[in-house]
């Protein structure tokens, strides 16, 4: 079984997800998958947004990237078009394990395409 929880910040998603986790469900947080998605899409992000969003360790500098995309809706959509497919691929790989009950939590649930499993 797959249960999806979506809502704005502070809506109680964690509370509900934790309840299901206590019942034996595996808790999947789309925000955490988003962090992994940034790593996987790092090369494309570098190509599109430039070296200014790459930290000294070669990883995406989330703060620097945020200072660009959170003030420009078009650039935010561009970033989402790069990262959301990575998040969806990660989620598909997780859900491929049969016989496991999942509770999936996230804000941009439908935009990522996470509703395919529910």
């Amino acid at each position: 079984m797959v249960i999806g929880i979506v809502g704005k910040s502070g809506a109680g998603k964690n509370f509900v997800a934790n309840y299901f986790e206590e019942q034996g469900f595996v808790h999947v947080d789309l925000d955490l998958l988003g962090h992994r998605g940034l790593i996987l899409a790092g090369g494309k992000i570098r190509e599109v947004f430039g070296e200014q969003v790459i930290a000294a360790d070669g990883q995406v500098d989330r703060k620097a990237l945020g200072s660009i995309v959170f003030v420009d809706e078009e650039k935010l959509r561009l970033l989402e078009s790069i990262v959301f497919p990575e998040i969806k691929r990660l989620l598909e790989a997780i859900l491929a394990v049969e016989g496991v009950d999942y509770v999936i939590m996230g804000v941009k649930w439908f935009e990522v395409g996470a509703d395919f499993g529910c």
Side-chain angles (χ1 to χ4, degrees):
M1 178 185 308
V2 179
I3 296 175
I5 303 171
V6 64
K8 294 181 181 182
S9 181
K13 295 182 302 296
N14 273 312
F15 179 80
V16 174
N18 288 338
Y19 169 79
F20 282 104
E21 191 172 10
E22 290 171 2
Q23 306 310 307
F25 283 68
V26 173
H27 181 180
V28 180
D29 186 335
L30 289 181
D31 289 339
L32 295 179
L33 291 184
H35 292 221
R36 180 76 179 135
L38 277 176
I39 293 168
L40 294 173
K44 182 68 174 175
I45 291 169
R46 171 182 270 156
E47 179 183 315
V48 171
F49 292 97
E51 293 297 322
Q52 64 195 12
V53 300
I54 304 300
D57 65 0
Q59 298 297 316
V60 174
D61 181 335
R62 292 176 54 219
K63 186 175 180 181
L65 184 59
S67 72
I68 295 170
V69 300
F70 293 131
V71 297
D72 184 327
E73 189 76 19
E74 189 175 307
K75 289 182 180 172
L76 177 60
R77 297 293 162 244
L78 178 58
L79 175 63
E80 290 173 343
S81 75
I82 296 168
V83 176
F84 284 1
E86 296 295 344
I87 297 170
K88 186 173 181 183
R89 276 191 279 283
L90 290 167
L91 184 58
E92 288 171 338
I94 291 169
L95 296 181
V97 177
E98 295 185 19
V100 179
D101 294 325
Y102 296 96
V103 58
I104 305 168
M105 180 191 81
V107 174
K108 296 224 173 191
W109 219 77
F110 296 104
E111 294 89 339
V112 168
D115 56 324
F116 69 88
C118 297

